[in-house]
Amino acid sequence: MPDKKLQLRTEYRKARPAPVQQKQIMPTGKLLLVTVAGLTTLGGFIADWNKTHLFNPNWPPHAKFHDAMSITIATFLGGAGMYLLLRQGEYLQRDTQMAAMLPAFFWASQGISFAFPGAKGLESEFPELVPRIKGVWLNEKFVAIAMLSLTGIGYTLERQRQND
């Protein structure tokens, strides 16, 4: 008799449908890195493809050339980061490292640019477009710091997940 019960249980288990698997949500670290890469890819078009930058009649052609170069390099670095994050492959940790580093190059260069002689943020020409909190301009320098911070947090979380 016990063999019959065991046989029925086994048959029941075989007959049950497999549990429905939920679609996996992107892990937080990877989501942060993908967000930074995406904003790096599109950010130049959003921030610079307008009358304050590329179509500014007061800017000489060479300044527009450098702005176009900035938009292009950001698109390449962000796009490469996005590709490395979303592709499947055997070099996951290396891809994650490069995917974090490439967009970070752009944001680091944006922040460091404030150290160059005469370099100023958007507030120097269009102060009405740049918010201030207690007298401190929230300009491109703060965007660079925020993006580098998100990159660091995202990379740390993703590497911890990969090492678990």
Side-chain angles (χ1 to χ4, degrees):
M1 189 69 108
D3 291 337
K4 181 77 168 168
K5 285 183 181 178
L6 181 62
Q7 182 180 2
L8 287 173
R9 279 191 211 145
T10 304
E11 288 174 13
Y12 172 74
R13 286 186 184 135
K14 288 179 182 176
R16 278 191 307 183
V20 177
Q21 292 186 0
Q22 294 181 347
K23 187 176 181 180
Q24 179 151 353
I25 299 171
M26 188 178 290
T28 304
K30 190 170 189 174
L31 180 61
L32 287 173
L33 292 173
V34 165
T35 300
V36 170
L39 289 172
T40 305
T41 302
L42 299 175
F45 293 101
I46 294 167
D48 290 8
W49 198 273
N50 57 50
K51 66 180 181 172
T52 65
H53 285 71
L54 199 57
F55 300 109
N56 187 337
N58 297 321
W59 277 23
H62 193 68
K64 293 180 182 189
F65 166 82
H66 281 284
D67 188 43
M69 190 171 74
S70 175
I71 293 169
T72 304
I73 195 67
T75 301
F76 289 160
L77 292 170
M82 186 78 71
Y83 169 76
L84 290 166
L85 285 166
L86 299 178
R87 78 175 179 164
Q88 301 293 319
E90 60 184 284
Y91 302 108
L92 182 61
Q93 289 187 349
R94 185 203 63 197
D95 287 353
T96 301
Q97 185 178 30
M98 292 299 294
M101 191 171 59
L102 292 173
F105 283 152
F106 175 79
W107 298 109
S109 68
Q110 181 170 294
I112 292 167
S113 295
F114 281 89
F116 282 73
K120 301 274 186 212
L122 184 62
E123 71 277 3
S124 66
E125 288 183 81
F126 300 96
E128 71 279 4
L129 298 178
V130 182
R132 281 182 7 170
I133 296 180
K134 296 185 180 186
V136 177
W137 293 104
L138 300 181
N139 58 18
E140 299 90 339
K141 187 184 318 177
F142 289 92
V143 174
I145 291 168
M147 297 301 274
L148 289 168
S149 298
L150 289 174
T151 299
I153 293 166
Y155 178 72
T156 301
L157 291 172
E158 184 59 13
R159 285 301 300 265
Q160 285 175 349
R161 186 187 70 79
Q162 290 171 1
N163 290 329
D164 285 345

